[in-house]
Amino acid sequence: MDDDRRSRFEAVYKQTYERILGYAVRRCDSPEDAADVVAETFAIAWRRFDALPPGEQAPLWLYGVARNVLANHHRGQARHRHRNTELDTELADLYGHSPESGVEVGAIARAFRELPADDRELISLVAWEGLDHGELAKVLGCSRNAVRIRLYRARKRLSKALAGAGVSVGGVVMESL
C-alpha cells in the first residue's frame, strides 16, 4: 500500500505543483515565503493523504489547504508588519503612477489592501487563479450560491473603494472579476 500511496501522491504533486506554487507566489511577499507555503501545503497533503480526493477534486482540495497555510503565514507576518507600514506607503506613493495607462497603481493597490481579507482572497481566486463559482465553492467550503453572493458583495466593496480613491473603472472590468 505504501508504494501505491507514494505513486498517487507523486502524480498529484506533479499535476498540481505549478498551480499551487503560482497561487502562493501571487500571495506572498517573497519567493522564499511562497516556497515555504507550498512545502507546508504538500506536507499536510501527505499527512492527510486519506482525505485527499481523487482526480480533478485534488487541486481544489489543495487550494483549500494552501489557503489555510497562507492564512497562518499571513498572521505570522502581521505581527511584524506594523513596523513597516510607513515604508510600504512611501513605496506605493513612489510607484503610484503608470505611464502607460495613467491609472494610479498605488491607489488601486491601497484600495485592494483596504478590503477585508476575505474579499481580497475571493477576488484573487477569481482574477489570478481563474476559478469559477463551482470551484470557488469547493475551495472555500460553501455553496455556489454563497460564492455568488460573496463575490457580488466583494466586487461592490472594491468598486466603492476604487471610487473613493478617485480611480475610474468601467463596469466591464469589474464584471470580469
Side-chain angles (χ1 to χ4, degrees):
M1 182 66 177
D2 270 345
D3 288 340
D4 202 27
R5 175 183 173 150
R6 183 178 178 168
S7 296
R8 182 167 169 246
F9 181 82
E10 287 175 355
V12 168
Y13 180 86
K14 288 176 186 175
Q15 173 196 10
T16 60
Y17 176 79
E18 287 185 26
R19 291 170 66 180
I20 300 302
L21 178 61
Y23 175 86
V25 164
R26 287 185 286 273
R27 288 163 176 80
C28 289
D29 294 333
S30 71
E32 293 83 8
D33 289 346
D36 290 345
V37 167
V38 171
E40 181 64 19
T41 298
F42 282 104
I44 291 169
W46 177 255
R47 285 193 306 269
R48 297 190 55 217
F49 184 76
D50 293 335
L52 182 66
E56 290 302 313
Q57 300 301 309
L60 301 177
W61 186 84
L62 286 168
Y63 275 133
V65 172
R67 184 171 179 263
N68 292 334
V69 170
L70 234 112
N72 289 337
H73 173 76
H74 287 306
R75 279 190 291 274
Q77 282 189 323
R79 291 192 278 290
H80 303 288
R81 189 169 292 136
H82 70 278
R83 293 178 232 146
N84 298 323
T85 302
E86 288 181 15
L87 178 60
D88 289 344
T89 302
E90 289 174 22
L91 288 174
D93 288 342
L94 180 62
Y95 296 105
H97 298 284
S98 173
E100 300 86 35
S101 65
V103 173
E104 293 189 31
V105 176
I108 294 170
R110 279 189 296 277
F112 186 73
R113 278 195 309 266
E114 290 172 3
L115 289 174
D118 288 343
D119 287 355
R120 286 192 313 268
E121 178 65 6
L122 187 57
I123 290 170
S124 297
L125 284 167
V126 171
W128 292 341
E129 307 309 327
L131 299 184
D132 64 27
H133 289 177
E135 293 168 330
L136 285 168
K138 289 188 187 328
V139 170
L140 301 176
C142 62
S143 71
R144 290 173 61 101
N145 193 45
V147 165
R148 186 182 56 75
I149 293 167
R150 288 180 190 178
L151 187 56
Y152 172 80
R153 290 177 180 164
R155 287 175 178 152
K156 286 295 225 189
R157 284 188 280 268
L158 179 58
S159 291
K160 184 177 179 180
L162 290 172
V167 176
S168 175
V169 179
V172 174
V173 174
M174 288 306 296
E175 292 304 317
S176 66
L177 294 178

